[in-house]
Amino acid sequence: DTGVSQDPRHKITKRGQNVTFRCDPISEHNRLYWYRQTLGQGPEFLTYFQNEAQLEKSRLLSDRFSAERPKGSFSTLEIQRTEQGDSAMYLCASSLGGHQETQYFGPGTRLLVL
Amino acid sequence: DQQVKQNSPSLSVQEGRISILNCDYTNSMFDYFLWYKKYPAEGPTFLISISSIKDKNEDGRFTVFLNKSAKHLSLHIVPSQPGDSAVYFCAARGPTGNQFYFGTGTSLTVIP
């Protein structure tokens, strides 16, 4: 399977705990995006990487959230001191960029904070 | 603030008929628009896109229309098939080229 993969698919944690999610993009894709999706809403942009450089972050991304893409391949999204409001689906997407860019999404990680 | 809006949460259409999904946006700087389809427990899948310099793009049963003056786009599916039943999201690329804004989705049900 050469699509975008995410791990874990589901995560249940207690409030205040830290969680880390992993995304493996399509291998030749240099762009990587993280989104958050809550019930009844569309994906909401969180952050964007061009290779290993994090070039854009949403104003909605609190300082409890941090993302890395250390070698320009896989990426991790960490949430520290989780809150119940962090419960959502976290989606990763990758692309080659370009004027007519197509993002390929992974299946997402569903987070539930109790 | 929701810059991309899909005002119809759901739509039901008979098999073989045309499905029309609508999307409105507020930012005239958006230069590229996309439609994604999403099945339960899966990530969104790209369907079709259109650049702001065009007003129509067609791919098989799917056609996207863009009306820049009205800041409106629509997705036409004809003929609709039961396998088209899914949630459809429209998305727009922002002026930095790095942010994509999604609507809230329209759940399409195609009735056999």
Side-chain angles (χ1 to χ4, degrees), chain A residues 33 42 56 99-101 103 106, chain B residues 32 41 43 93 96 98-100 103:
Chain A
Y33 301 80
E56 195 151 347
H99 182 67
Q100 305 223 11
E101 178 175 355
Q103 294 184 7
Chain B
Y32 180 57
R93 183 169 63 192
T96 67
N98 301 330
Q99 276 207 32
F100 287 78

Side-chain angles (χ1 to χ4, degrees), chain A residues 9 31 33 35 37 40-45 48 55-59 89 91 98-108, chain B residues 1-2 31-32 34 36 38 41-46 49-51 53-54 89 93 96-105:
Chain A
R9 294 290 305 274
R31 291 189 165 212
Y33 301 80
Y35 292 87
Q37 185 178 14
Q41 300 297 313
E44 179 184 47
F45 171 83
Y48 153 70
L55 297 185
E56 195 151 347
K57 292 195 290 187
S58 167
R59 291 171 296 170
M89 174 74 83
L91 293 162
H99 182 67
Q100 305 223 11
E101 178 175 355
T102 300
Q103 294 184 7
Y104 295 84
F105 281 83
Chain B
D1 60 337
Q2 190 76 23
D31 70 339
Y32 180 57
L34 310 93
Y36 285 87
K38 186 181 184 303
E42 295 182 11
T45 303
F46 170 76
S49 64
I50 188 167
S51 168
I53 62 174
K54 294 188 174 182
F89 292 99
R93 183 169 63 192
T96 67
N98 301 330
Q99 276 207 32
F100 287 78
Y101 299 86
F102 283 75
T104 52

Side-chain angles (χ1 to χ4, degrees), chain B:
Chain B
D1 60 337
Q2 190 76 23
Q3 298 195 52
V4 178
K5 299 178 184 179
Q6 294 175 258
N7 293 319
S8 297
S10 62
L11 175 67
S12 290
V13 172
Q14 286 289 136
E15 181 178 3
R17 300 291 195 116
I18 185 170
S19 296
I20 300 176
L21 295 89
N22 294 303
C23 179
D24 297 292
Y25 61 96
T26 58
N27 191 334
S28 59
M29 298 297 290
F30 289 158
D31 70 339
Y32 180 57
F33 304 88
L34 310 93
W35 284 93
Y36 285 87
K37 179 166 71 171
K38 186 181 184 303
Y39 294 117
E42 295 182 11
T45 303
F46 170 76
L47 196 56
I48 193 169
S49 64
I50 188 167
S51 168
S52 61
I53 62 174
K54 294 188 174 182
D55 55 18
K56 177 182 174 181
N57 188 27
E58 192 171 353
D59 183 2
R61 296 185 298 115
F62 303 92
T63 303
V64 56
F65 294 93
L66 175 63
N67 183 335
K68 284 180 62 179
S69 61
K71 295 191 182 69
H72 177 84
L73 66 155
S74 61
L75 174 68
H76 292 210
I77 307 172
V78 55
S80 301
Q81 299 174 353
D84 296 329
S85 297
V87 177
Y88 289 78
F89 292 99
C90 68
R93 183 169 63 192
T96 67
N98 301 330
Q99 276 207 32
F100 287 78
Y101 299 86
F102 283 75
T104 52
T106 296
S107 178
L108 173 66
T109 302
V110 180
I111 304 164

